[in-house]
Amino acid sequence: MAEAKRVGGEYATATKVAIGFAAAVAAGTLYYYLSTPSNPSSKQVPSSPFPSKRNEHTRVFISGLTVYPVKSLAGVSVQSSKLVAQGLKYDRKWIVVRESVGKDGETHEMLTQRQCPHMCLVQPIVNEATGTLTLTLLPGAADSVAGEGNKGSGGVSAKLKAPAKASVTVPLNAEDSAPNVKLEVWGTPLTGKDCGNESAEWLSTVLDTRVRLVCAPEGFKRSVGEKEFVQHLNGEVRGGETENVFFADCYPYLFISEEQVQWLNEQADEASGHLEGARFRGNVTVRGTRSPHDIDSWGRIQAVGRRVGEEGSGGGVQLEFVKPCTRCIMPNVDPDAGIRTKEPGKTLERLRRAEVGGSVQKCFGQNAIQVLDNSSEEDRELFVGQEIVVLSRKAPLQFI
């Protein structure tokens, strides 16, 4: 990405001036803003009062929160987020689909980094003050060119193109009168609302592929895609028998740990350079686990209503870890450059293969859902520095 590379895991301050829509900033404080890095690394948490190294007195806490407003586009790091029925507020509320339809003549296919790796160079920004979602290119992204490891698939171009306009804006909530769009997410038929021709043209130009932007409408319902992993909860899931989710692959929360990312870097090919945690597109990054693979055995946790080191009983929410996150080719996409590399897939294939759901797959991170607890609406929030208490454990993964 030319000059837009992150510095030490964080974007250079030039990120702030390259956004190109000062009017949006003037209209109100951005709920998600580019001056905060989208990489959930240890550097986004102040060094004090949070501990930097694990010892017998260290507590586990949230060191990073990342929201992905549009599926497969860039993530945005936030200091806190309210929890809604579908997970972190605004997470994967929008999705990009191909403009063409399938054999049935009406269903659109979702487009992700699996086919179009440079989608990660498009930055969504949510502005609650103006009630808008803005899409813009990350600084230097327009200089991205197709490389040997950046070939598109399924007829999708591998080259990012600069649009005529620096950004495009759509409402946070789709109009009732907006056309319905039928689509599928991993075999589940869904209906969203079209976000209009302007956003479609902008994205089609940038991605060099005819696409539409689709929003989950008010009252959108979608259960998790793999009921066998949540049926043991016996209706204990908040919001009904199964957790609701927007356009995420299957689950509303994905946890990774800094310790596991560090372990992966120690095992990976040195020639690959540093592998950022952002490659795994987790919502919640934690620090302070007792071993690199500790989260593999977490069953139920409580995110207590206090920062690590603070006194008080706290309140907070409870989440159940229901399934290891099985990994496809997407973590091989460098989120800074929008190109595919051989790592971390090569190392995951060698060291993190386990049987999940009847087949052997690469695993990294843990999927979670929110369960019923005594938390109030006000307490349903996650924030950086929040202490995590492990309430129960399960059998760890057995790697093959």
Side-chain angles (χ1 to χ4, degrees), residues 159-350:
K159 183 174 176 61
L160 192 77
K161 292 188 175 180
K165 292 175 57 179
S167 62
V168 67
T169 298
V170 299
L172 284 183
N173 298 307
E175 298 287 342
D176 291 339
S177 59
N180 288 331
V181 177
K182 291 188 175 182
L183 65 138
E184 284 189 356
V185 175
W186 298 118
T188 301
L190 301 168
T191 300
K193 288 289 188 179
D194 188 82
C195 292
N197 291 332
E198 186 179 7
S199 62
E201 288 299 324
W202 191 91
L203 275 170
S204 295
T205 298
V206 168
L207 302 178
D208 198 20
T209 302
R210 299 303 303 176
V211 296
R212 309 289 300 185
L213 181 66
V214 176
C215 178
E218 188 74 25
F220 180 88
K221 294 290 185 182
R222 176 190 167 214
S223 297
V224 296
E226 301 164 312
K227 293 183 175 58
E228 65 268 29
F229 293 101
V230 297
Q231 60 188 7
H232 68 284
L233 294 173
N234 298 319
E236 198 181 354
V237 179
R238 181 177 297 284
E241 293 184 0
T242 54
E243 178 75 358
N244 197 13
V245 64
F246 281 137
F247 296 122
D249 278 354
C250 287
Y251 298 97
Y253 301 96
L254 174 57
F255 279 68
I256 62 174
S257 76
E258 291 187 13
E259 288 77 14
Q260 200 164 57
V261 173
Q262 180 179 345
W263 170 87
L264 181 69
N265 275 282
E266 292 169 353
Q267 308 303 318
D269 184 353
E270 290 185 4
S272 65
H274 179 71
L275 300 170
E276 301 179 17
R279 285 176 177 259
F280 297 99
R281 296 178 71 82
N283 296 117
V284 186
T285 303
V286 298
R287 184 196 298 177
T289 61
R290 62 189 187 186
S291 70
H293 309 296
D294 190 44
I295 66 171
D296 291 336
S297 65
W298 287 5
R300 182 169 298 190
I301 67 166
Q302 182 170 8
V304 299
R306 63 169 181 262
R307 295 186 180 277
V308 65
E310 290 181 348
E311 297 298 328
S313 58
V317 297
Q318 293 185 15
L319 298 104
E320 182 91 2
F321 281 47
V322 293
K323 180 180 178 287
C325 185
T326 55
R327 293 298 179 170
C328 61
I329 197 173
M330 276 185 57
N332 284 11
V333 176
D334 180 347
D336 286 325
I339 61 173
R340 291 196 186 105
T341 60
K342 293 182 179 180
E343 290 286 13
K346 183 178 177 182
T347 299
L348 296 180
E349 181 71 27
R350 179 167 55 94

